[in-house]
Amino acid sequence: MGSDLSNKLLHLQGEVVLDIWYTFPATMGEDQAWISYNHGYGEVAESDPRHNVLRIKLPLKNPSETGMPTNEEYLQLSKIDEMLDEKFSEVGGVYVGRVTVDGHRFFYFYLNREEKQALEIIAEVTAETSYQMQYVHEKDTDKKFYWDQLYPTDDDWQVIQDLKVLDSLSENGDMKDKEREVIHWAYFPSDSSCNYFAEWAKSENYELHFTGKDEDSSECYTKFSHVGAMYLGNITNHTIKLGRKARELGGRYDGWETSVEKK
């Protein structure tokens, strides 16, 4: 839902951190949003001396019925994304994320520059692209906009992992509408919580394959499955529920795997 930012290096006071980006869907009020965020920045956010956040709001020209950019507008937005990233990087800023929702795209940067210089850069991009932009430039020493508006929740992080698996399946020629067995795992520090989860999973119509410990493991785990297609909504209906229940019992949901189904 925007340009594919290549991984690069973030340099901060002698630290070098890989600039890794993830994209995931989220619900904002009644609207569907897509969030792209700079995951690598989280490792340096606390020590980053750039204490001003710049939030840029750009209205889409021809949004779809769901408030997302059309294919025709996508290329122009990618160009704007790259231009803003390049120009603010040149003055020591760091691009930490963007949100697309309800016919708008919001860009987030951290920098230690005067508001006047930020406005000059926005004016340059506006003149080159004809997109009108609004902005807010303010102090954010604790990086709350990064942590609160961009960084994924536990549920969001699960969706990111699900998307990775689905993308891998697609790259291998998988027919996503073909139902097949999906294997899940969940791990727990105690046998009682493990057994409780297993019984709960069974009551939720999952097929249990194993509950117990391996010889070399101190953790109890359960292996179970369901049958379904490889659409994101189908998968997250299971994984988010499983993750929440595992966390509620002090354990962790450890993901899923399935076969590649071709014609």
Side-chain angles (χ1 to χ4, degrees):
M1 308 304 295
S3 69
D4 293 325
L5 295 173
S6 333
N7 291 343
K8 57 186 180 182
L9 297 180
L10 287 173
H11 295 270
L12 175 65
Q13 295 181 329
E15 294 183 81
V16 180
V17 179
L18 188 61
D19 188 13
I20 302 171
W21 285 73
Y22 291 121
T23 299
F24 60 94
T27 300
M28 294 187 171
E30 298 181 355
D31 297 310
Q32 173 71 62
W34 281 85
I35 299 173
S36 294
Y37 82 104
N38 187 334
H39 184 73
Y41 181 72
E43 296 188 31
V44 298
E46 185 176 348
S47 56
D48 185 4
R50 289 168 282 211
H51 294 324
N52 296 323
V53 63
L54 176 68
R55 295 178 284 140
I56 301 171
K57 178 181 179 180
L58 178 151
L60 304 181
K61 291 184 176 179
N62 298 293
S64 68
E65 291 183 0
T66 59
M68 293 294 117
T70 60
N71 290 336
E72 291 75 15
E73 195 168 12
Y74 178 89
L75 291 177
Q76 187 68 12
L77 292 172
S78 296
K79 178 183 176 182
I80 293 171
D81 198 272
E82 292 166 3
M83 290 173 64
L84 290 171
D85 185 22
E86 180 179 352
K87 290 181 181 294
F88 281 109
S89 292
E90 288 174 354
V91 297
V94 57
Y95 185 18
V96 297
R98 63 174 176 263
V99 178
T100 307
V101 62
D102 192 25
H104 295 82
R105 176 160 289 181
F106 300 83
F107 305 88
Y108 294 79
F109 293 85
Y110 281 104
L111 57 159
N112 263 349
R113 296 288 177 164
E114 297 290 335
E115 183 176 346
K116 179 182 177 182
Q117 187 168 21
L119 178 57
E120 290 172 353
I121 291 175
I122 293 171
E124 288 176 16
V125 176
T126 296
E128 291 185 46
T129 65
S130 77
Y131 274 81
Q132 298 300 314
M133 305 179 203
Q134 298 175 314
Y135 76 93
V136 175
H137 178 278
E138 60 186 316
K139 281 285 186 184
D140 185 21
T141 304
D142 296 329
K143 311 299 188 294
K144 71 180 181 70
F145 279 100
Y146 174 76
W147 295 117
D148 295 347
Q149 303 295 321
L150 299 170
Y151 202 80
T153 63
D154 288 335
D155 288 350
D156 294 332
W157 186 248
Q158 183 58 58
V159 174
I160 291 171
Q161 303 310 310
D162 293 341
L163 282 167
K164 284 183 182 180
V165 179
L166 292 172
D167 286 344
S168 178
L169 288 168
S170 180
E171 289 168 3
N172 283 280
D174 184 66
M175 296 177 60
K176 61 184 178 182
D177 58 344
K178 190 171 183 180
E179 293 194 344
R180 82 294 303 266
E181 185 178 40
V182 182
I183 305 293
H184 304 267
W185 288 265
Y187 287 78
F188 299 87
S190 71
D191 293 355
S192 59
S193 57
C194 186
N195 290 328
Y196 186 95
F197 180 91
E199 288 302 313
W200 170 83
K202 187 176 179 180
S203 73
E204 293 288 317
N205 298 316
Y206 291 97
E207 181 179 350
L208 293 179
H209 296 274
F210 177 83
T211 300
K213 294 179 178 177
D214 291 333
E215 290 183 5
D216 58 348
S217 175
S218 60
E219 288 185 300
C220 180
Y221 74 94
T222 182
K223 177 182 176 182
F224 53 102
S225 67
H226 82 277
V227 174
M230 293 297 102
Y231 292 98
L232 180 62
N234 295 35
I235 290 296
T236 58
N237 281 341
H238 293 278
T239 59
I240 290 177
K241 173 178 67 175
L242 294 169
R244 288 176 178 175
K245 191 63 176 182
R247 290 193 298 273
E248 176 188 318
L249 297 172
R252 73 182 190 280
Y253 171 63
D254 202 43
W256 58 278
E257 69 175 31
T258 192
S259 57
V260 176
E261 298 294 333
K262 301 181 179 181
K263 290 183 180 179

